[in-house]
Amino acid sequence: MKEARAISNLNALVMTQKYFPILLSIALAAGVVTCNTGVEESPQPGIVRVTLQANPADTTILILTDTVRVTDGDSMGVTIFQGKVFSGAKFATLFQSLTSYRPEDITYNVLKRDIGTYKTYPVYESYVPPGDYTKLQIGVTATLLKLREVAVSLQLRPNDPLLLDFDVGFQVSENKITEIMLQIDPLRSLTRYRDLYYFERKMRVLGVRQF
């Protein structure tokens, strides 16, 4: 009786050793299938680029009784700052370049010529989470216009906000560039007030493209 029980135990041990690797593999495979950490892979960002160019048709201004036309060497410094893009109540801050680590106030000479027309400036190029956006917001000011030998002081109207909102719908996609093209009427934006000119900031979104 004892001999039969020993043989039975030995057979059970042999069966266990034989099938243990198979059972272990099945258990591990089930664990891999059912295990879920709850953490999803983050999407890759897209790039938002914002460009600024003066309206090529805006080339003259009336100063006192003289109509003055823009020539090479003239300047009008427009300062751009605090750029953001909005998706509902959420927003992403824009930086001047992909290597920038903090926002900056940058002044651009919007009357600068480039091959017969006004120069186009890339004012922002920044990584942004993918998604649908509804608004671009930037700060815009100007302080001085120089035409030939004439220097004109510029300022915003006393109650004008520093930030401008551009209601424009656009999409940011992973690993793609979304470019927002802004146009400004530099001289048509100026309204004389006593010894200075108010800067009315006549600007618009000329177009949006993705590539």
Side-chain angles (χ1 to χ4, degrees), residues 1 8 17-18 22 42 68 73 93 122 145 151 171 184 196 201:
M1 185 70 176
S8 176
Q17 291 176 334
K18 179 178 180 181
I22 299 175
S42 299
V68 180
T93 299
L145 168 68
Q171 186 178 67
I184 182 172
L196 57 81
R201 299 179 296 181

Side-chain angles (χ1 to χ4, degrees), residues 22-36:
I22 299 175
L23 294 173
L24 180 61
S25 298
I26 294 173
L28 290 175
V32 170
V33 172
T34 59
C35 181
N36 185 358

Side-chain angles (χ1 to χ4, degrees), residues 47-68:
I47 294 174
V48 169
R49 176 187 296 158
V50 181
T51 64
L52 175 66
Q53 183 189 33
N55 185 349
D58 190 15
T59 59
T60 62
I61 184 174
L62 183 64
I63 298 180
L64 297 178
T65 59
D66 296 330
T67 298
V68 180

Side-chain angles (χ1 to χ4, degrees), residues 53-61 70 75-78 109-112 118 142 145 154 183-191 197-204:
Q53 183 189 33
N55 185 349
D58 190 15
T59 59
T60 62
I61 184 174
V70 174
S75 66
M76 178 177 170
V78 172
N109 176 16
V110 294
L111 299 185
K112 185 176 179 62
Y118 291 130
L145 168 68
L154 309 176
Q183 185 181 76
I184 182 172
D185 297 338
L187 303 180
R188 295 171 186 169
S189 292
L190 305 182
T191 302
Y197 280 77
Y198 283 135
F199 179 41
E200 306 282 359
R201 299 179 296 181
K202 294 181 179 179
M203 299 178 65
R204 65 200 62 87

